[in-house]
Amino acid sequence: MLTKQEIIQSLPASVAGGVSDTLVNELNNIITDPDFRDSFRDNMISYNKVLSEGKFKLESYMNAVMYVSYKLMGYNNMDSYERTFKTKFNGWIMAGKTAQTISAHVAMYNKSKLVNLVYAQAVIPTHVLNQDKFQEAINHQFY
């Protein structure tokens, strides 16, 4: 299970205050696979620079990270969206939305600014993404 403290520590201070117990419970109910939970937590930490690049809701950021995490695991757009937004997706099915309509919503989400910013962070090699931290570590070891 993800703890509130783990989530707060993985986010920039400017948005960490927005982590509520309700949000933590929702995440833990959604993420039932312990292996995915660890990947999701690591991705939340790795991609948190996205939060400083725009005004996004914390919940929207977490959903985008979850969606991109599923994509990086090899799931297609539709499966990634369904896993990320189970309730919404099932509601669409129950309401009788056509596959074409659902596909259009999924495509629109996949092309959204937030999802693309998270994708951009995902494709940056770790050594480049953390270059400043690497230099700090060298300086710390030297002195």
Side-chain angles (χ1 to χ4, degrees):
M1 294 191 81
L2 293 171
T3 66
K4 185 175 183 177
Q5 193 60 33
E6 285 177 322
I7 295 171
I8 289 171
Q9 289 175 343
S10 69
L11 297 170
S14 60
V15 294
V19 177
S20 66
D21 291 332
T22 304
L23 184 66
V24 174
N25 289 335
E26 285 177 17
L27 280 173
N28 282 323
N29 288 335
I30 291 170
I31 305 171
T32 56
D33 179 4
D35 293 329
F36 180 74
R37 187 177 291 133
D38 292 341
S39 296
F40 175 72
R41 183 188 60 230
D42 294 346
N43 291 345
M44 287 257 314
I45 294 166
S46 298
Y47 310 149
N48 70 20
K49 185 175 190 308
V50 169
L51 289 170
S52 63
E53 293 181 15
K55 296 197 177 211
F56 303 108
K57 290 189 236 172
L58 184 56
E59 186 174 1
S60 299
Y61 167 72
M62 290 183 182
N63 288 333
V65 170
M66 190 179 307
Y67 175 81
V68 171
S69 295
Y70 282 124
K71 292 281 295 167
L72 294 174
M73 292 172 67
Y75 291 100
N76 65 30
N77 293 353
M78 187 71 73
D79 290 340
S80 297
Y81 192 91
E82 182 179 2
R83 289 172 180 273
T84 302
F85 301 104
K86 289 177 186 171
T87 305
K88 181 190 284 188
F89 195 88
N90 289 337
W92 288 345
I93 299 296
M94 298 300 282
K97 288 202 180 225
T98 66
Q100 182 179 4
T101 301
I102 293 172
S103 180
H105 284 286
V106 171
M108 184 173 62
Y109 183 76
N110 188 60
K111 294 176 185 177
S112 70
K113 179 179 180 178
L114 178 56
V115 168
N116 280 293
L117 287 171
V118 172
Y119 271 136
Q121 289 295 304
V123 297
I124 298 173
T126 305
H127 69 279
V128 173
L129 185 63
N130 296 307
Q131 187 174 9
D132 60 326
K133 305 263 187 284
F134 182 70
Q135 187 61 48
E136 286 177 26
I138 290 172
N139 293 345
H140 181 74
Q141 291 292 322
F142 182 74
Y143 296 108

